[in-house]
Amino acid sequence: MAFLKGKYRKSIILFWQLAGVVIGGAVLYISAVYFNFFWLFGGMPDLKAIENPESQVASEILSADGQTLSKYFIENRTPVEFDQLSPNIVKALIATEDARFVKHSGIDPRSMFRVLKGVASSEQGTTGGGSTLTQQLAKNLFQTRSDKYKGGLGDIPLIKTVIAKTKEWILSVRLERNYTKQEIMTMYLNTVSFGNNADGIKTASRTYFRKEPWNLNLTEAALLVGMLQNPSRFNPRVFKERALERRNVVMGQMVKYGFLTQEAFYVNKLKPLGLNFNIENHNTGPAPYFREVLRDWMKTWLAQYNQENGTEYDLYTDGLRIYTTIDSRMQDYAEQAAEQHMKDQQAKFFNHFKELKMNPWVVKGTNGGYVPDPNFERRAVKRSWRYRELKRSFGDDEEKIWAELRKPIKMKVFSWRGDRDTIMSPLDSIKYYNKFLRIGMVSMDPRNGDVKAWVGGINYKHFKYDQVYQGKRQPGSTFKPFVYCSAINENYVTPCETIMDHQVCIGDWCPKNSTGSFSGQMLTLRQALAKSVNSISAYLMSRVGPKKVVEYAHKLGITSPLPENDVTICLGTPNVSVYEMVNAYCTFANSGKHVDPRFVTRIEDKDGRLLAEFPPNEKEVISPSIAYQMLFVMRGAVEDPWGTAQRLRTQYKLADNNEIAAKTGTTSDYTDGWFMGVTPNLVTGVWVGGEDNHVHFTSMALGQGARIAMPAWGLYMQKVYADPDLAGNDRSPYRRDRFNKPDGMDVNIGCGGVKIDTINTYLRPKVTDDESILF
C-alpha cells in the first residue's frame, strides 16, 4: 500500500472512490434497466423474445410455377437468407453503417462519443450516428423507441433517449451471444425500412429494381444502402439528385474501406439511378381479383384452423406461404388477351352509341327499337358507394344528396389510354364508369380442378367487383349442354338422332329461335347445338323436365340455386357465375368426373412447416361415354361450317391438330355475351357485359357471344399454344390434343356414317358482318 502514502494519497483514494461510484452506479443503472426495477424504465424484451425475435412478415402468394404473385401485409416484408444477399449489399452496408462490424461484440467503444453526441442533441428518431448494426437491429426488432416499452422515467424526453440507448446496448450484446454476424446482418436487412411501402431488402429490391436481392449490382446496392440513413430524404423517386449523391457517398465509403477500387468508383458514380420502380400494393400486380377472393378464403380458413389447433396465425403478419394453382404465365396471357379484346370492344361500343346519338343504357321502345332508359340514372346512383356515403351524412334529405352529386370536383378516372385527371361531378363519374363493358374470364385444368388464370374485370383499381366469382348473370345458350346431357343420359335421345326444328310449346311458353322463324328441317343434336336452335332445347326440356335438368346441372358443377319448376331455364335464364360454369364444363372434359375447383394446393408457415394440403376431390357423376358424347356434340360449334364458334378454326387456327368443344351464349337484348371453350386439358369461360343490365349493344352482329366474348378466348389460347413450356411438345401440360374416347363406345358417334359437314348444308344462314352465325 506504499503507493497510497505521500502527497497524492487523498487524490488517489478520491479517484478510486469516484470510479467505484461510477462503476457501481453504471452496474446498478444497467441492472435496473434490464430488470425494470420499480417499473421506472418501461420493461425489456425477455430472453425468449431475444432467442426468437419476431417481426411482421408478409404472407406470400406463390404461383404453381414458383413465382410470387403478391403478398398480404401490414408491413411489406419478406425475409431472405444470408446466401441470398448480393456481395455488393454486404460490402456497401459494412462500409457505410458499421466498418468495425466483424470486430466488435455489439458495442463499439470508438463510436461512443458519437452516441453521446446523438443523445445530447436529442436525435431520438435516428440511429444515433454511432450505433452499430447490432444496435440498429435491436432498435428495429424490439421497437425500443416506441410506446411498447413506455413508462416511468421513460416518459421524459431526454431520459427516454438515454434509456432506449441503454436497452439497445444490452440487447445488442445479447444478440451477439445468440447469433452469428451473418445472422445479425441478415436480420437487420430483413427488418429495416426502405420507404415506399418496402420493408426488408427483398421487397426493396423488387420495388426499386424488380430484381431479387442476389442480383443487385454495385450501384443498385449502394443506392439501397444509402437510403437507410433516411428513406424519405433519399427517396429516389422524389429526390433523384439527392439520392444519386448519397449513392456515390456509399461507394466512396466502399473505396475508403477497401471494398471498391478508385477506378471502379469513378466509372460507376457517373451511372444513372437505373430505377425500375414498381410499388407493391393490393391494386397492382398479377391476378388482383383472384387475390381478393383468396384473401377472403384465407381469412375463413385461418379462423377455422386457429380454432381447431389453438394457434393465432395472422394473414398479414405471420409470413404464411400460400401455394396456389395459378400459373403466372397463363395469368399473364389471360390478362393480355382480356385487355386487347376489351379495348377493341370498348371502341366499338363507344362508336355504336355515337352513331345512335344516345347513351348506352337503353330499353325496348313501343315500336320495337331501343330508347334511353329513363330510370337508369337514379338506379345507378343508388347502387354507388358515393350515394351510400352521402346517405350516411344527410340521411333522407335527397335534395342535399343530389346537390352534392352534381358538384364538379377534381378526380382521376380510368381510361383505356391510362388514368386521366379531370373535373367531373360524382353523378357524371357514375354515368361515365357505367359506359365501360366488363369481363369475367377464368381458366381451369379439368383433370384436377386447378384454376390456372383468373381475370375478374378490366381494371382492379377502378372496378373492384369480381365478375368471375361474385358476379352472376344469365348464361344464355351456354346452359343448353346441361339440358342435352340430361336428355342423353336419361335415354330420351342420342347425339345423332334428328329432331325437327319447329315451334314447341310447353304450356303457355312458346320460345322462338334467334332468327324469329323455324326451318322445319330435321337436325341432329350436334347440328342443333352448333346452330344454337332454341326449339330443340325446348323440345328436350319437354321430354326431361326442369327438375331433372337442375339435378344434372348441380351434378356437373353448378352451385347456384336453380328453379326446379321453370322450363325457361333450358335457354339459360337463371343467374350463375363464370366460375361455376367453367367447373361444370370441366366435368365433360374429365370423362364425367366432377372435380371441385381448387386454387390452393398447400399452406406453410414462415419456417416452411406444412399447415395444410388440399388434394383434388373428384367424383364420377356421368359415365365417360356420356361425357364423350357431349364433347362430340359441342365440337360442332367449332368444326362444322354453321357452328357459332367456327372462327376458332378458320380465323384463329386453333383447331389444327386439336379438338375443341365450345358453346356461345347471348341473352335477351344482347345483355350478356358468353363463350365456353373446352380442350382436352384446359377449360376456359368468358363473360362480357355491362355493370347494369341495360348497358349493352343494340344489334346481334355486335352483341352476340361469338363477337363480344369468344375473341378473348381465342387470343388467350393462341398465347398459351405459342408458349413452348406450356404447349411445345407431347409432354407439355396444355398441348394441342384430342379428347380421350372411351373404350367400347356403344354409340355411333359418326351419325350413321354420314359426313357431318354434308348434312343439311342448305340450312346454313347467310353470312352477316363476316360472321357465319348470328347467335
Side-chain angles (χ1 to χ4, degrees):
M1 293 293 183
F3 67 91
L4 291 178
K5 298 179 180 180
K7 61 179 180 179
Y8 298 111
R9 179 176 179 277
K10 291 183 178 180
S11 298
I12 294 171
I13 292 174
L14 180 61
F15 169 79
W16 284 109
Q17 288 175 336
L18 290 174
V21 170
V22 170
I23 294 172
V27 171
L28 181 62
Y29 166 69
I30 292 174
S31 299
V33 172
Y34 184 78
F35 293 107
N36 192 26
F37 289 157
F38 310 114
W39 301 278
L40 292 175
F41 304 103
M44 278 281 290
D46 59 23
L47 181 61
K48 182 179 179 181
I50 294 174
E51 292 178 345
N52 299 282
E54 295 181 358
S55 62
Q56 292 186 357
V57 179
S59 291
E60 200 165 2
I61 309 168
L62 299 165
S63 71
D65 55 319
Q67 301 299 308
T68 298
L69 295 176
S70 189
K71 304 170 191 172
Y72 300 124
F73 57 84
I74 296 173
E75 294 180 355
N76 189 8
R77 179 184 293 112
T78 302
V80 297
E81 301 296 331
F82 183 81
D83 58 8
Q84 294 177 303
L85 297 173
S86 165
N88 294 311
I89 279 285
V90 175
K91 295 173 183 177
L93 184 63
I94 291 176
T96 307
E97 296 293 326
D98 193 351
R100 289 172 45 80
F101 175 65
V102 297
K103 298 178 180 179
H104 64 66
S105 298
I107 301 174
D108 185 6
R110 294 187 183 184
S111 65
M112 292 294 288
F113 77 96
R114 292 199 303 273
V115 175
L116 295 175
K117 179 182 177 182
V119 172
S121 59
S122 300
E123 294 178 357
Q124 300 175 34
T126 73
T127 59
S131 295
T132 64
L133 273 181
T134 316
Q135 289 168 346
Q136 294 181 48
L137 172 61
K139 174 186 171 184
N140 295 336
L141 205 57
F142 300 109
Q143 303 173 34
T144 55
R145 308 296 178 96
S146 71
D147 292 337
K148 184 175 182 179
Y149 299 110
K150 184 178 179 181
L153 297 175
D155 294 338
I156 302 172
L158 182 59
I159 296 178
K160 178 180 179 180
T161 303
V162 175
I163 294 173
K165 183 64 68 175
T166 304
K167 290 177 180 179
E168 289 160 18
W169 290 337
I170 297 170
L171 290 169
S172 65
V173 172
R174 298 298 299 270
L175 286 170
E176 290 274 350
R177 290 179 180 178
N178 281 275
Y179 298 99
T180 66
K181 290 291 185 178
Q182 290 185 349
E183 289 172 332
I184 289 171
M185 178 176 286
T186 304
M187 281 193 288
Y188 173 79
L189 287 169
N190 281 332
T191 56
V192 75
S193 173
F194 291 84
N196 286 309
N197 204 32
D199 296 307
I201 186 64
K202 186 170 186 178
T203 302
S205 302
R206 291 176 174 178
T207 299
Y208 291 101
F209 302 107
R210 302 196 186 194
K211 285 186 174 183
E212 297 298 341
W214 51 86
N215 291 325
L216 291 172
N217 63 33
L218 172 63
T219 57
E220 293 164 347
L223 176 66
L224 293 179
V225 169
M227 292 177 65
L228 294 176
Q229 187 181 86
N230 191 324
S232 298
R233 176 175 173 77
F234 298 110
N235 185 342
R237 292 187 70 205
V238 182
F239 306 109
K240 294 182 179 180
E241 293 300 322
R242 190 183 293 169
L244 186 65
E245 182 179 350
R246 176 64 182 163
R247 181 200 72 179
N248 292 343
V249 168
V250 171
M251 290 194 294
Q253 289 293 103
M254 295 176 73
V255 173
K256 178 179 178 181
Y257 291 104
F259 294 120
L260 188 67
T261 66
Q262 194 72 50
E263 293 75 12
F265 170 72
Y266 285 131
V267 170
N268 284 282
K269 78 172 186 176
L270 299 176
K271 292 181 179 179
L273 291 176
L275 292 181
N276 189 1
F277 189 79
N278 177 42
I279 191 168
E280 290 186 328
N281 61 53
H282 301 308
N283 286 327
T284 61
Y289 292 93
F290 166 75
R291 292 180 346 234
E292 282 307 299
V293 172
L294 178 62
R295 182 201 304 272
D296 290 339
W297 185 89
M298 280 297 303
K299 287 180 178 178
T300 301
W301 180 84
L302 274 173
Q304 182 177 348
Y305 184 88
N306 285 336
Q307 183 178 14
E308 293 176 352
N309 295 276
T311 52
E312 296 182 355
Y313 285 112
D314 186 278
L315 180 62
Y316 302 100
T317 61
D318 285 333
L320 301 177
R321 295 173 65 81
I322 307 162
Y323 292 85
T324 73
T325 61
I326 294 290
D327 186 290
S328 66
R329 299 158 298 183
M330 298 169 79
Q331 180 66 34
D332 187 36
Y333 298 151
E335 290 178 358
Q336 289 178 28
E339 179 177 346
Q340 180 180 343
H341 174 63
M342 294 308 293
K343 280 183 178 179
D344 175 66
Q345 288 301 310
Q346 194 63 53
K348 291 178 179 177
F349 194 66
F350 284 152
N351 289 334
H352 178 62
F353 283 96
K354 184 178 181 180
E355 292 174 0
L356 295 177
K357 298 180 180 179
M358 60 192 301
N359 283 316
W361 33 89
V362 293
V363 293
K364 278 283 184 67
T366 54
N367 62 353
Y370 289 94
V371 297
D373 178 3
N375 300 314
F376 170 78
E377 184 178 288
R378 181 166 293 275
R379 187 172 64 246
V381 164
K382 289 196 172 183
R383 194 169 53 228
S384 69
W385 65 269
R386 196 179 294 272
Y387 177 82
R388 292 192 294 271
E389 288 294 319
L390 292 172
K391 187 79 172 174
R392 279 192 280 269
S393 299
F394 298 112
D396 295 328
D397 195 334
E398 290 288 312
E399 186 175 336
K400 284 187 177 180
I401 291 174
W402 283 87
E404 288 294 319
L405 287 169
R406 292 189 175 97
K407 288 182 180 179
I409 58 175
K410 290 182 178 181
M411 63 177 67
K412 188 183 293 288
V413 297
F414 167 81
S415 83
W416 276 114
R417 295 182 179 180
D419 290 358
R420 62 185 183 90
D421 295 310
T422 187
I423 296 177
M424 188 182 292
S425 72
L427 176 58
D428 287 336
S429 73
I430 291 170
K431 292 190 287 186
Y432 172 78
Y433 279 114
N434 268 279
K435 293 179 180 179
F436 286 92
L437 296 173
R438 317 296 170 84
I439 188 172
M441 181 176 179
V442 67
S443 193
M444 292 185 193
D445 188 325
R447 298 163 293 189
N448 48 27
D450 286 0
V451 177
K452 309 309 296 183
W454 185 309
V455 180
I458 57 175
N459 183 284
Y460 182 74
K461 178 181 177 182
H462 294 280
F463 304 92
K464 291 287 194 289
Y465 191 77
D466 172 51
Q467 300 291 354
V468 166
Y469 193 78
Q470 286 180 293
K472 295 187 178 184
R473 303 294 280 263
Q474 292 184 348
S477 293
T478 57
F479 195 86
K480 289 178 180 177
F482 308 144
V483 182
Y484 280 53
C485 179
S486 61
I488 294 173
N489 203 47
E490 294 295 319
N491 296 316
Y492 286 112
V493 68
T494 66
C496 296
E497 184 176 335
T498 57
I499 302 171
M500 181 178 288
D501 173 20
H502 70 288
Q503 178 95 70
V504 176
C505 292
I506 308 177
D508 296 333
W509 183 62
C510 303
K512 296 180 180 179
N513 288 333
S514 61
T515 60
S517 61
F518 306 94
S519 69
Q521 301 299 319
M522 301 298 291
L523 303 175
T524 65
L525 289 194
R526 172 159 161 153
Q527 289 173 315
L529 195 61
K531 293 163 64 67
S532 203
V533 179
N534 289 344
S535 65
I536 305 300
S537 295
Y539 169 76
L540 296 177
M541 174 59 79
S542 71
R543 299 293 307 278
V544 180
K547 186 174 182 178
K548 186 62 70 173
V549 171
V550 168
E551 177 187 324
Y552 275 89
H554 284 154
K555 278 184 181 180
L556 292 166
I558 299 300
T559 55
S560 293
L562 303 172
E564 294 186 349
N565 57 357
D566 185 358
V567 294
T568 68
I569 65 172
C570 69
L571 301 186
T573 54
N575 289 327
V576 294
S577 69
V578 185
Y579 184 80
E580 55 190 315
M581 286 292 289
V582 170
N583 180 236
Y585 272 67
C586 281
T587 305
F588 297 132
N590 194 36
S591 299
K593 298 183 184 71
H594 172 257
V595 186
D596 291 337
R598 182 174 70 152
F599 46 73
V600 175
T601 57
R602 72 182 191 275
I603 301 170
E604 297 176 354
D605 67 12
K606 64 182 179 182
D607 298 319
R609 187 172 70 89
L610 181 67
L611 300 183
E613 283 187 297
F614 305 91
N617 179 31
E618 70 175 16
K619 175 184 179 182
E620 184 174 300
V621 294
I622 57 175
S623 70
S625 173
I626 296 297
Y628 186 78
Q629 291 175 57
M630 283 305 305
L631 294 170
F632 168 78
V633 169
M634 288 190 287
R635 278 165 46 198
V638 178
E639 297 174 4
D640 299 347
W642 48 80
T644 58
Q646 55 86 25
R647 277 198 300 150
L648 296 178
R649 171 174 51 84
T650 59
Q651 178 181 337
Y652 292 91
K653 307 298 181 184
L654 292 172
D656 298 343
N657 302 313
N658 195 35
E659 288 186 341
I660 302 171
K663 188 68 193 80
T664 57
T666 312
T667 59
S668 299
D669 294 327
Y670 329 114
T671 298
D672 306 282
W674 288 75
F675 182 76
M676 303 296 299
V678 182
T679 67
N681 37 40
L682 199 63
V683 179
T684 305
V686 182
W687 167 89
V688 175
E691 177 184 344
D692 190 282
N693 284 340
H694 291 185
V695 175
H696 54 76
F697 282 107
T698 64
S699 75
M700 176 67 84
L702 293 172
Q704 60 179 296
R707 283 293 185 183
I708 201 172
M710 187 180 73
W713 191 94
L715 292 168
Y716 167 63
M717 292 304 296
Q718 282 182 331
K719 295 176 187 296
V720 170
Y721 286 147
D723 189 315
D725 293 328
L726 295 173
N729 55 59
D730 291 341
R731 295 182 300 276
S732 300
Y734 303 107
R735 62 190 180 277
R736 295 171 183 257
D737 207 347
R738 293 183 176 277
F739 293 110
N740 182 36
K741 184 177 180 179
D743 295 332
M745 285 286 294
D746 57 359
V747 174
N748 187 353
I749 291 296
C751 293
V754 181
K755 196 174 181 181
I756 290 296
D757 62 6
T758 66
I759 299 177
N760 296 327
T761 55
Y762 55 87
L763 291 178
R764 301 176 193 173
K766 294 180 181 179
V767 176
T768 303
D769 190 23
D770 195 33
E771 180 62 46
S772 66
I773 189 69
L774 298 180
F775 193 70

